[in-house]
Every structure is written in C-alpha cells, then in structure tokens.
Amino acid sequence: MPMPAAEIESLIKQGIPDAKIEIRALADDGDHYAATVISQEFAGKSKLQQHQLVYKALGSHMGGALHALQLQTFAPK
Amino acid sequence: MPNINDQIQSIVDSNDVVLFMKGTPDFPQCGFSHQASQILRYIEVDFKGVNCLETDELRQGIKSFSNWPTIPQIYLKGEFIGGADILRELFQSGELFTTLTEKGIPFKAPAGAQA
C-alpha cells in the first residue's frame, strides 16, 4: 500500500519536531521518494546516526509500505 | 547451523569490505544496490557481495543485525558504514577515501578526488 508524501512528512515531524523537510517522489508508484531533512538534532551526529533518527521516526513503514527513501540530512549551519 | 546473527557476524569479520545487497554485483536487482556496487567497483575496492534475496531469514536478519531498515548495507572491517545514500555522500565528499585509508583498505582514488 503506497504512502503519500504528506504522511512521511508528518511522521518525520512527530519524531523530529524542529525538522525542515523537503520530499519529492522519485517515481509515481507512491513508494519511491527522496527527502532532505534539516534539524538541529543532527548537530554533532554522524551521517549514520542522522539517518537512523529519521528511520526511527518512520518506524516500521520504512522497508515496508515505503520501499525506498533516498535520504539527505543536514544540521543547520 | 549457527543462527543468522552469527552467520552475518562471521561474514563481516572475515571480509574487509562486505556489501549486503539485493542481487549480485554482476546482476543487481535494485537501483540502490546497483549504485553502491558501482561506487565500490569504480574505486576498485575488493568487496564481498552478499545477495540478501537468497533467503528471507538473511533479508530480515541483516536489518536487525545493524538496526537499519533497508538494503544495501556496507561494512568496512566489520563496521557498519551505512546504506547507498551514505556511501554516495562519503564518496562525493571524499570522506570515503579517508575512511578506507584509515582502515588500511586498498582503493584507487579517482583523479582530482581529495583524500
């Protein structure tokens, strides 16, 4: 069951409240997205830890309904 | 037969570079897995490709082993580095070359890459 971009955004926001999120569909099948997430919570964390924060917010959806998420994460400069 | 966790542990312990992927380096079955194996081949890093589609036990086991929900997954000297996105970012920033050098893993830096 594909996942709408808005739902991905709200899940990430719930997990990372200050996140600025930009999502675009990579394909029109509803389960391939690219997302850029910017949050103060990423400051001082490795890329791996930053991505894990986002995946934790997405919970079981990631790898399930959401097949592929091309992720870029940044701490605000 | 050791449990899946121990099997994965022995693979990452006995190979310097391991790419858990969908398909094989010659026949990748997912864009992200293909991208990851392309990067490793481009910089001429020897790696062991493990096809996670062979068994569902491996496909799920690798995700709990690393607490990472997707495939591919890259390991350097037993350390989990990340998925395709992180490998690409490390490659583009040049950080991948620093990490490989630190871990004593031979590679061929592309011309103009900063190490």
Side-chain angles (χ1 to χ4, degrees):
Chain A
M1 204 279 291
M3 223 174 139
E7 193 182 336
I8 298 170
E9 192 162 342
S10 83
L11 278 171
I12 296 175
K13 268 258 189 232
Q14 280 166 43
I16 310 172
D18 80 321
K20 287 192 189 43
I21 304 159
E22 188 210 304
I23 295 186
R24 53 185 175 75
L26 289 176
D28 53 13
D29 52 13
D31 65 10
H32 282 71
Y33 288 98
T36 303
V37 184
I38 299 169
S39 162
Q40 194 51 46
E41 286 189 45
F42 294 153
K45 290 196 168 60
S46 72
K47 278 289 171 201
L48 187 65
Q49 291 162 327
Q50 294 175 19
H51 285 217
Q52 271 170 327
L53 271 178
V54 176
Y55 285 142
K56 204 168 119 216
L58 290 170
S60 60
H61 297 286
M62 193 59 235
L66 183 49
H67 170 68
L69 179 65
Q70 199 162 311
L71 199 51
Q72 282 207 303
T73 54
F74 303 100
K77 292 253 179 322
Chain B
M1 178 81 167
N3 69 45
I4 192 68
N5 243 30
D6 297 341
Q7 286 173 46
I8 293 171
Q9 189 64 59
S10 79
I11 294 171
V12 299
D13 288 344
S14 48
N15 294 278
D16 281 356
V17 183
V18 185
L19 176 62
F20 291 90
M21 61 185 295
K22 290 178 181 171
T24 62
D26 292 329
F27 299 99
Q29 289 172 270
C30 153
F32 292 112
S33 289
H34 179 52
Q35 197 183 78
S37 62
Q38 285 291 86
I39 288 174
L40 294 174
R41 282 182 154 177
Y42 179 66
I43 57 173
E44 295 180 11
V45 166
D46 283 334
F47 67 96
K48 178 174 175 60
V50 177
N51 182 2
C52 293
L53 300 181
E54 272 169 10
T55 70
D56 201 49
E57 194 192 18
L58 176 56
R59 183 173 187 167
Q60 299 315 323
I62 189 63
K63 294 175 185 177
S64 48
F65 179 83
S66 56
N67 182 29
W68 185 263
T70 59
I71 293 166
Q73 297 184 15
I74 293 97
Y75 291 75
L76 299 181
K77 294 258 173 129
E79 181 191 347
F80 177 49
I81 298 301
D85 296 340
I86 287 180
L87 183 65
R88 193 184 58 250
E89 262 185 66
L90 295 176
F91 172 72
Q92 287 164 346
S93 70
E95 211 181 312
L96 179 58
F97 309 130
T98 317
T99 306
L100 289 168
T101 307
E102 277 163 9
K103 292 181 179 290
I105 297 170
F107 66 95
K108 184 177 147 268
Q114 65 280 52

